[in-house]
């Protein structure tokens, strides 16, 4: 069983299709297809169901996936460990929530780059669920995600503390007015895709306000989200620090919520037991130097 076939299989499983896997692995689609078919032939069963929307795992594929992920991660760790001479250098793949990357990470990453210029840092933004999966399968060395995270294979360090606020168009002066001026079903919830912790918290807020059936509208970018809120298309939930730094006071309004709904920690997660390279130790030191934990 070729390790490259398992890496390809894991990428197709995670991304849901040949095209996206080929793009991530920087190869042609025919090569991805050939490797998947070779692995299926060796195992003697289909690993994917092919359909118009992409590819989903069969029962055999689901059983194979965790082994393939562990083998691929272990192979990558072995190479990094052999090359690691104690001086932070080489590749470091980190993930983050888009909101965290926009506001919290620039100063931290700038400090890290000043200390360790030989590290080749790459940053991927995604939802908490996708980032957790990427850390577990070894495609990311660590990630900034919204807490709480409880997983036996992950360790977590608090990096930032955020206050989530309900964000509405400017003309809604308070929550009482919003409740009185919207349909019984509630305002449209503007959300990132499934797997976003802020989306889950917004759904909790709407449920407490008596709007469990409010319509959902998914957006892919922070700028698009805030623009739609400003146009009074709906409401969203974001960290106060994100929206206060965007100079949009004339078009949106922020509404404070009770602590049980508003408080959330941003955690830096790593795979427990994985080799911690010098580069990753350097980043962890920047996070843990005391100046990066910012209270809301």
């Amino acid at each position: 069983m070729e390790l490259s076939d398992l890496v390809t299989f894991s990428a197709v499983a995670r991304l849901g299709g040949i095209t996206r896997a080929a793009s991530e692995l920087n190869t042609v689609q025919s090569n991805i297809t050939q490797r998947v078919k070779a692995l299926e032939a060796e195992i003697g069963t289909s690993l994917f169901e092919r359909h118009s929307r992409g590819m989903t795992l069969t029962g055999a594929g689901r059983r194979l996936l965790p082994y393939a992920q562990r083998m691929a991660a272990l192979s990558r760790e072995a190479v990094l460990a052999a090359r690691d001479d104690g001086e932070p250098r080489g590749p470091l793949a980190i993930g983050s929530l888009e909101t965290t990357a926009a506001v919290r990470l620039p100063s931290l990453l700038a400090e890290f780059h000043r200390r360790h210029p030989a590290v080749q840092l790459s940053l991927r933004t995604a939802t908490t669920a996708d980032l957790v999966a990427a850390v577990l399968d070894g495609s990311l060395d660590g990630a900034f995600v919204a807490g709480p995270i409880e997983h036996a294979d992950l360790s977590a360090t608090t990096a930032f503390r955020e206050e989530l606020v309900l964000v509405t168009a400017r003309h809604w002066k308070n929550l009482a007015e919003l409740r009185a001026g919207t349909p019984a079903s509630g305002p449209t919830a503007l959300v990132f895709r499934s797997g976003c912790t802020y989306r889950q918290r917004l759904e909790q807020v709407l449920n407490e306000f008596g709007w469990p059936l409010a319509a959902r509208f998914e957006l892919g970018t922070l700028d698009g989200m805030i623009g739609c809120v400003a146009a009074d298309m709906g409401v969203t939930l974001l960290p106060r620090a994100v929206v206060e730094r965007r100079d949009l006071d004339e078009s949106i309004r922020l509404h404070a919520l009770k602590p049980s709904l508003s408080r959330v920690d941003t955690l830096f997660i790593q795979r427990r037991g994985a080799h911690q390279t010098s580069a990753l130790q350097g980043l962890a030191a920047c996070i843990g130097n005391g100046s990066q934990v910012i209270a809301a």
Side-chain angles (χ1 to χ4, degrees):
M1 188 176 295
E2 295 290 334
L3 179 62
S4 57
D5 291 345
L6 293 172
V7 171
T8 300
F9 161 73
S10 297
V12 175
R14 176 165 48 84
L15 298 170
I18 296 292
T19 302
R20 290 187 289 274
S23 177
E24 179 172 290
L25 297 176
N26 195 29
T27 188
V28 296
Q29 295 182 38
S30 58
N31 187 38
I32 300 293
T33 300
Q34 180 181 355
R35 288 191 176 279
V36 170
K37 287 183 176 179
L39 187 59
E40 289 179 323
E42 182 176 358
I43 294 175
T45 187
S46 295
L47 300 173
F48 292 100
E49 296 283 352
R50 280 85 168 167
H51 49 75
S52 60
R53 299 185 307 281
M55 301 169 68
T56 55
L57 289 170
T58 62
R62 288 192 295 273
R63 291 189 292 273
L64 176 64
L65 182 59
Y67 295 97
Q69 290 173 334
R70 289 202 294 271
M71 291 172 71
L74 188 60
S75 174
R76 180 173 181 270
E77 285 176 33
V79 173
L80 293 175
R83 292 175 177 171
D84 193 358
D85 60 1
E87 180 66 28
R89 60 165 59 93
L92 181 64
I94 299 299
S96 173
L97 304 170
E98 184 178 354
T99 51
T100 301
V103 174
R104 299 301 195 188
L105 292 193
S107 60
L108 186 151
L109 296 183
E111 174 64 20
F112 175 74
H113 182 63
R114 283 191 292 270
R115 294 186 186 185
H116 311 296
V119 175
Q120 301 154 15
L121 181 71
S122 61
L123 180 67
R124 181 201 307 176
T125 58
T127 64
T128 288
D130 288 344
L131 293 171
V132 166
V135 172
L136 287 171
D137 71 21
S139 59
L140 289 177
D141 297 302
F144 294 90
V145 302
I149 296 292
E150 295 182 4
H151 195 290
D153 295 328
L154 294 174
S155 61
T157 301
T158 300
F160 314 106
R161 294 192 175 102
E162 303 286 5
E163 178 197 1
L164 300 180
V165 292
L166 190 69
V167 188
T168 70
R170 184 69 182 175
H171 70 89
W172 297 113
K173 295 183 176 58
N174 52 57
L175 293 178
E177 183 177 292
L178 177 67
R179 291 183 178 186
T182 55
S185 59
T188 297
L190 305 179
V191 296
F192 293 115
R193 66 182 183 274
S194 181
C196 172
T197 300
Y198 298 161
R199 173 179 179 153
Q200 297 169 0
R201 189 68 65 89
L202 177 57
E203 290 174 348
Q204 183 182 349
V205 169
L206 295 179
N207 188 64
E208 289 205 9
F209 285 2
W211 296 325
L213 301 179
R216 272 63 166 168
F217 190 93
E218 289 191 8
L219 291 136
T221 67
L222 182 59
D223 286 338
M225 181 82 71
I226 293 177
C228 287
V229 171
D232 203 19
M233 181 176 172
V235 303
T236 193
L237 195 70
L238 291 171
R240 180 183 290 276
V242 169
V243 284
E244 283 188 338
R245 295 188 186 187
R246 301 183 76 86
D247 194 26
L248 292 168
D249 289 346
E250 298 302 317
S251 58
I252 62 173
R253 191 180 298 274
L254 313 185
H255 304 272
L257 301 168
K258 63 184 182 180
S260 63
L261 296 174
S262 66
R263 302 291 176 173
V264 63
D265 285 346
T266 299
L267 308 176
F268 184 70
I269 60 170
Q270 304 172 62
R271 191 157 57 87
R272 196 183 301 276
H275 172 69
Q276 191 174 59
T277 64
S278 298
L280 188 57
Q281 290 176 29
L283 180 62
C286 288
I287 297 170
N289 66 10
S291 63
Q292 299 301 331
V293 178
I294 304 172

